[in-house]
Amino acid sequence: MKSLKARRIISNTIIYILLIVMSVIWIAPILWLILQSFSGDGVAAKAYLIPKTFTFDNYIWLFSDFTNKTNPDATTHVLDGMFSGWFLNTFIVSIITCVISTIFVLGTAYGLSRFRFKSRRLLMKINLVIGMFPGFLSMIIMYWVMRDIFHLQGSYWSLIFIYSAGAGGGYYISKGFFDTISKSIDEAAMIDGATRSQIFWQIILPLAKPIIVYTILTSFIGPWGDYVTSSYIIGLQNIENWTVAIGLYQMNTTNDYAVTYYTQFAAGAVCVAIPITILFLMLQKYYVSGVTGGAVKG
């Protein structure tokens, strides 16, 4: 009995030590980024973790307007005053994409869950195979379509088209959740005279709140943090139409900007993380329910 208790104590101790080490590894970069965002040292490479001076100037800089400077002799750089515009661009793209994608995903998922039609299974298999290929393989054709057909190359509106167009293909989790809702509810509503549209909007969706929240979160997060597609479609020369991902990447990687904007980059990264963190904290219980509920059936 004592040996069993001793082994349990030892195993729990080892597990706790591993969890503490993993937590430190996970939290350390976040803590470092937050500390650098308040740094007033103005140096990119530091041999110390905690800044010697703290300031809010990095956050003030992000949302400052440099077009009408009070001091005309002050030195300005090409990215000064651009972050608020990037933030607004990203917010617009993410919100509009989120709304359109959520409607597409839920509509597609409900249709494939409730209706039985010819080639339904073949269509699902084809979509599954297509989903195995990385999206960036189609970026060249997307670029030419946006430039030559829609004439939107360089505009963040082109990103809304691209992000929303294929959103319906990610219906799998939502369809699994709709499969868990009894079809007898639909049949009872139809007997009472409800149309398919009324059943979907007034009966099914109120019952599917977890999967709606899950779809909204995933539809919002994708455009919010995407760099590869946005940088290719918008282009590095269209600075005013950049998203925050492009702007922050350029701040931290371009030789001319890396030193100048290092602490501002850290502050910008924190600002980008705040909306996503708030959304997850507010909607976490629905998010978990949506994932687990959608995984019950295929």
Side-chain angles (χ1 to χ4, degrees):
M1 192 70 179
K2 290 183 178 181
S3 60
L4 179 62
K5 185 177 181 180
R7 280 187 293 177
R8 183 178 301 172
I9 293 174
I10 294 174
S11 62
N12 288 340
T13 302
I14 295 174
I15 292 173
Y16 289 143
I17 292 174
L18 289 175
L19 291 175
I20 292 173
V21 172
M22 293 174 62
S23 299
V24 171
I25 294 174
W26 182 77
I27 294 175
I30 300 175
L31 178 61
W32 173 84
L33 184 69
I34 295 174
L35 289 175
Q36 298 308 309
S37 70
F38 290 102
S39 174
D41 300 346
V43 181
K46 303 179 179 68
Y48 46 88
L49 175 63
I50 301 177
K52 297 180 179 179
T53 58
F54 288 86
T55 180
F56 285 98
D57 290 347
N58 298 321
Y59 290 93
I60 296 174
W61 178 91
L62 292 177
F63 300 98
S64 296
D65 184 7
F66 288 81
T67 56
N68 297 313
K69 295 181 297 178
T70 56
N71 182 8
D73 296 328
T75 301
T76 58
H77 301 276
V78 66
L79 300 186
D80 289 349
M82 302 299 295
F83 183 84
S84 57
W86 302 338
F87 197 92
L88 180 61
N89 294 343
T90 310
F91 186 77
I92 293 173
V93 171
S94 299
I95 287 295
I96 297 178
T97 301
C98 178
V99 173
I100 299 175
S101 298
T102 300
I103 295 174
F104 282 0
V105 170
L106 295 178
T108 303
Y110 178 77
L112 292 175
S113 174
R114 288 299 194 265
F115 299 108
R116 297 295 182 268
F117 52 89
K118 188 177 181 180
S119 301
R120 170 180 170 274
R121 298 186 66 86
L122 177 62
L123 180 63
M124 294 172 62
K125 290 179 181 178
I126 292 175
N127 184 74
L128 181 63
V129 173
I130 293 176
M132 294 179 181
F133 294 90
F136 61 79
L137 293 179
S138 60
M139 279 199 297
I140 295 178
I141 186 62
M142 287 191 296
Y143 176 86
W144 289 106
V145 168
M146 288 297 110
R147 195 188 73 167
D148 296 341
I149 297 179
F150 294 104
H151 305 289
L152 289 175
Q153 191 275 328
S155 170
Y156 60 77
W157 290 103
S158 60
L159 295 178
I160 296 175
F161 279 95
I162 293 172
Y163 292 143
S164 303
Y171 66 86
Y172 293 102
I173 300 296
S174 300
K175 177 187 176 297
F177 190 93
F178 286 134
D179 288 341
T180 64
I181 300 176
S182 177
K183 294 182 181 179
S184 60
I185 298 177
D186 301 48
E187 297 169 354
M190 293 179 68
I191 293 174
D192 291 336
T195 63
R196 282 291 185 182
S197 177
Q198 290 174 327
I199 294 172
F200 176 69
W201 292 103
Q202 300 178 21
I203 298 176
I204 299 301
L205 288 188
L207 296 175
K209 185 181 293 185
I211 200 62
I212 294 174
V213 171
Y214 167 81
T215 307
I216 290 174
L217 284 174
T218 53
S219 300
F220 183 86
I221 292 173
W224 186 262
D226 176 68
Y227 169 77
V228 177
T229 303
S230 58
S231 62
Y232 186 80
I233 298 300
I234 294 180
L236 300 181
Q237 71 276 11
N238 301 303
I239 297 180
E240 293 184 354
N241 291 331
W242 282 1
T243 61
V244 288
I246 305 175
L248 291 177
Y249 182 83
Q250 293 301 313
M251 281 185 184
N252 196 38
T253 57
T254 306
N255 292 332
D256 295 338
Y257 304 151
V259 176
T260 304
Y261 297 109
Y262 182 76
T263 52
Q264 289 88 345
F265 158 79
V270 173
C271 290
V272 170
I274 289 175
I276 301 298
T277 304
I278 293 175
L279 280 176
F280 266 101
L281 291 177
M282 293 175 58
L283 306 174
Q284 184 178 17
K285 63 177 181 179
Y286 297 112
Y287 180 85
V288 175
S289 299
V291 176
T292 56
V296 174
K297 293 185 178 181

